Amino acid sequence: MKASKATSVEELQIVSRFESLRAILTSEQYADHLDKPLAFWALPADRRLPLAFLGRTLRDLLDTPFAELAGTPGIGQKKLHSFVRLLARAANTDPSQLPVGVSDAPGNGSAAAANGTAHKNNGFSPAAVSEVLWAQWRATVVKHGLENETLGRWAPSLQNMTRVIWNTPLGEYVDCTLEEIRSMKTHGEKRVNAILEVFHCTHLVAAGMGAMPHLSVRIAPKLIDRAERWIDGVLQQPGVPSEEELSENFVRPLLEQVGIDATQQITQLAENRLGINCPITSVRQAARNMGLTRARVYQLLNEINDIMTVRWPNGRHQIYELRDKIQTDLAQVSNAPELKQFFTAIELFYPGNRRGAAGPLERLAPSTVPEPMLHEVELTV
């Protein structure tokens, strides 16, 4: 008898909560919510989801008497609780935050979705990414015209991203829902998570920008921006920077970027080649010290260039312009410094030759050396 009464009270509580949420969601301010499927507010980590309801729109569900919903095959007490919880998420989603200009989530039960509170302290959690959040992130990319920017350029670390999508533009995914991306061939959990993280970071930076037609905002990897700004200043001034200045403002930021994006083995090789905490090491010495063949060392060196090309597409042009300027200024100075680390760094990050097992094998074709271009992103704000 007590169990029966408890069940009855629980049922009444669910019905009361459903009716309360129905009143909220059918009000005029929530009109844009109603044509979205319930799956739009489901999280990947959710358990006991009412699968029979996920493909139905809020309008359809809210127009259905609760008794009929409760009588749906496969829908028990626990799934009704989950159903009401999803309705509460929908009610807690600010209507003004629903994105426009991108497609909605598909109407079937495997879609992932949630409200805008999934991220705390600017952190990223793949399990907390919903169709709501994903649609907002896509809308931000479209709004600011960032579709042609590549995933690898803005990834927090290239170690977390498969190489095959380093140069994939964000525009490849702006018309896709989470479910559509997850159903793509070769798009496993690691690849999907890396894509989501890039869109998340982009949204955090760009979403809050207001309208200022006379201003633009430049987005670039932080360490690359530091080196690039310093180079711009040096190119405008006569004279040769000191070895300490070159190391602090040019070599170390780029080396730190390699440390973020590459394995410890590659970072160690870069440090040895640049003479960080040791004399500058030749390829032969590095191979011996690391217990690798020279062929393997050259492969690792080429990976450093691959990373820099993704992170700083215009870097080759700017670095070689800096090199030419410094070489010209050195020719006019008596007792000119050797600047060995600086010139070694240029060859390390943006080699003039293709490196092979027996040494440089192939000079880069002129077409692979970019012409001067503006490679930062300018967002109208």
Side-chain angles (χ1 to χ4, degrees):
M1 184 69 179
K2 290 183 179 180
S4 176
K5 287 184 177 180
T7 301
S8 178
V9 169
E10 189 175 5
E11 289 175 353
L12 289 174
Q13 290 174 338
I14 295 176
V15 172
S16 175
R17 183 63 172 150
F18 172 78
E19 295 298 340
S20 175
L21 290 169
R22 186 214 296 265
I24 294 172
L25 290 168
T26 54
S27 62
E28 183 178 351
Q29 71 180 101
Y30 286 92
D32 291 339
H33 284 47
L34 298 180
D35 291 324
K36 298 187 183 300
L38 183 66
F40 207 73
W41 283 275
L43 287 172
D46 283 339
R47 296 293 179 266
R48 301 188 181 91
L49 286 171
L51 299 181
F53 295 162
L54 293 183
R56 297 170 62 176
T57 65
L58 292 190
R59 187 188 308 278
D60 178 28
L61 291 167
L62 296 174
D63 285 344
T64 304
F66 184 82
E68 184 177 332
L69 294 172
T72 303
I75 299 297
Q77 201 79 358
K78 292 180 179 179
K79 292 190 177 181
L80 284 175
H81 276 291
S82 296
F83 169 53
V84 171
R85 184 172 64 248
L86 294 180
L87 292 180
R89 285 182 188 167
N92 287 327
T93 301
D94 186 343
S96 67
Q97 297 301 311
L98 281 181
V100 295
V102 295
S103 59
D104 286 343
N108 73 49
S110 61
N115 62 23
T117 62
H119 292 274
K120 304 281 181 140
N121 301 321
N122 291 343
F124 171 74
S125 171
V129 179
S130 64
E131 288 287 1
V132 174
L133 287 176
W134 174 237
Q136 290 173 358
W137 299 349
R138 289 186 287 144
T140 296
V141 169
V142 172
K143 176 182 177 181
H144 294 291
L146 305 177
E147 296 96 322
N148 292 328
E149 285 303 308
T150 61
L151 292 167
R153 179 158 165 79
W154 289 353
S157 172
L158 293 179
Q159 290 191 65
N160 300 328
M161 179 176 289
T162 52
R163 179 183 291 263
V164 72
I165 62 170
W166 283 5
N167 290 302
T168 299
L170 275 63
E172 288 287 318
Y173 300 102
V174 295
D175 292 325
C176 300
T177 64
L178 284 177
E179 183 183 7
E180 289 170 342
I181 294 175
R182 290 184 172 120
S183 66
M184 291 178 179
K185 292 182 179 179
T186 73
H187 281 61
E189 182 178 0
K190 178 179 179 180
R191 183 172 299 186
V192 172
N193 289 349
I195 293 167
L196 297 181
E197 188 169 19
V198 170
F199 274 77
H200 163 65
C201 294
T202 303
H203 177 77
L204 288 182
V205 171
M209 295 179 183
M212 286 287 180
H214 66 293
L215 296 176
S216 66
V217 176
R218 178 179 185 271
I219 299 180
K222 186 174 183 178
L223 293 165
I224 300 302
D225 179 67
R226 173 182 161 188
E228 194 170 20
R229 288 179 184 273
W230 182 81
I231 290 173
D232 288 342
V234 172
L235 292 175
Q236 304 303 317
Q237 301 173 1
V240 178
S242 68
E243 291 184 86
E244 291 75 15
E245 289 177 308
L246 288 165
S247 178
E248 180 66 24
N249 298 293
F250 172 71
V251 175
R252 288 190 177 274
L254 300 189
L255 180 60
E256 189 174 341
Q257 187 66 61
V258 170
I260 291 172
D261 292 325
T263 63
Q264 181 59 39
Q265 185 182 50
I266 293 176
T267 302
Q268 179 187 347
L269 174 60
E271 291 176 348
N272 291 342
R273 291 288 289 142
L274 293 170
I276 305 297
N277 302 320
C278 67
I280 291 178
T281 304
S282 69
V283 171
R284 186 183 300 275
Q285 291 170 323
R288 185 182 303 114
N289 294 341
M290 299 175 72
L292 303 172
T293 64
R294 289 178 63 195
R296 179 56 180 157
V297 169
Y298 281 118
Q299 287 178 339
L300 298 179
L301 290 172
N302 284 327
E303 288 191 36
I304 294 173
N305 177 229
D306 293 341
I307 289 170
M308 296 311 302
T309 300
V310 170
R311 288 300 198 175
W312 193 6
N314 202 34
R316 180 180 297 277
H317 165 74
Q318 291 174 283
I319 285 178
Y320 276 59
E321 185 178 4
L322 175 65
R323 180 203 63 180
D324 294 345
K325 190 261 186 191
I326 287 179
Q327 286 179 330
T328 299
D329 290 346
L330 284 173
Q332 302 173 11
V333 177
S334 58
N335 298 321
E338 188 176 3
L339 303 183
K340 186 174 181 181
Q341 186 187 67
F342 169 67
F343 291 111
T344 300
I346 292 176
E347 184 63 21
L348 175 69
F349 297 123
Y350 291 94
N353 299 317
R354 186 66 179 175
R355 297 175 282 218
L361 296 180
E362 176 185 345
R363 181 163 294 280
L364 294 173
S367 61
T368 65
V369 182
E371 293 296 323
M373 64 184 78
L374 186 63
H375 240 291
E376 64 267 17
V377 179
E378 289 192 354
L379 304 181
T380 300
V381 299

